[in-house]
Amino acid sequence: SIAVESMGQQISIAAAGLSAWVLGALWYGIFANQWVKASKVDPKLVGNGHPALPHAVGLGGAMISSAMMAHVLGLCGISGDPVHGLMSGLGMGACLSLPWIANTVLYGGRNINLIWLDGGYPVLAMGTIGLVLNLF
């Protein structure tokens, strides 16, 4: 089970999740035109017409990812070392998230650019989570 030992750890998890979510807003803001072109999604239909829905789900997912990463990093003894946290997070994103995204893009016959557009964000987000968790 995920054990949260202190208020400080809860704040760290929340800060890391929020940081990853903000990074996602920046990422998809910067690459919005490329993503719309590659995905062929009408921006008005994102979230089935409820633009807040993807943001809420993204924030929730970032918080869950942050809590799980705190658990895994704790099991690995990575604590208080921002560089190791960053590198561990980047590794988890590159080795756990990116292959699945590449697989769904390719099997779905979707534009190959979505591998880096949708795959780059979780790699950087997991790195950000690992970094922030180890700043506190």
Side-chain angles (χ1 to χ4, degrees):
S1 69
I2 298 174
V4 178
E5 298 174 10
S6 69
M7 179 62 82
Q9 189 176 20
Q10 292 173 354
I11 292 169
S12 174
I13 289 168
L18 185 60
S19 296
W21 181 73
V22 168
L23 175 67
L26 292 170
W27 178 268
Y28 285 104
I30 291 167
F31 296 113
N33 292 335
Q34 294 93 326
W35 185 83
V36 167
K37 182 179 175 185
S39 68
K40 297 180 180 160
V41 170
D42 181 347
K44 295 178 194 133
L45 300 178
V46 170
N48 291 321
H50 300 285
L53 181 62
H55 297 291
V57 171
L59 180 58
M63 293 298 175
I64 291 167
S65 296
S66 181
M68 189 62 192
M69 185 176 284
H71 175 68
V72 171
L73 293 178
L75 290 174
C76 295
I78 299 170
S79 178
D81 186 340
V83 173
H84 280 119
L86 172 66
M87 297 309 292
S88 295
L90 290 172
M92 284 187 225
C95 296
L96 299 176
S97 297
L98 187 56
W100 290 99
I101 290 170
N103 192 39
T104 60
V105 166
L106 295 173
Y107 270 103
R110 297 167 55 207
N111 186 312
I112 199 164
N113 285 325
L114 288 170
I115 293 172
W116 75 266
L117 287 165
D118 286 338
Y121 164 59
V123 172
L124 295 178
M126 296 297 278
T128 299
I129 289 171
L131 172 71
V132 173
L133 287 172
N134 282 277
L135 290 176
F136 296 93

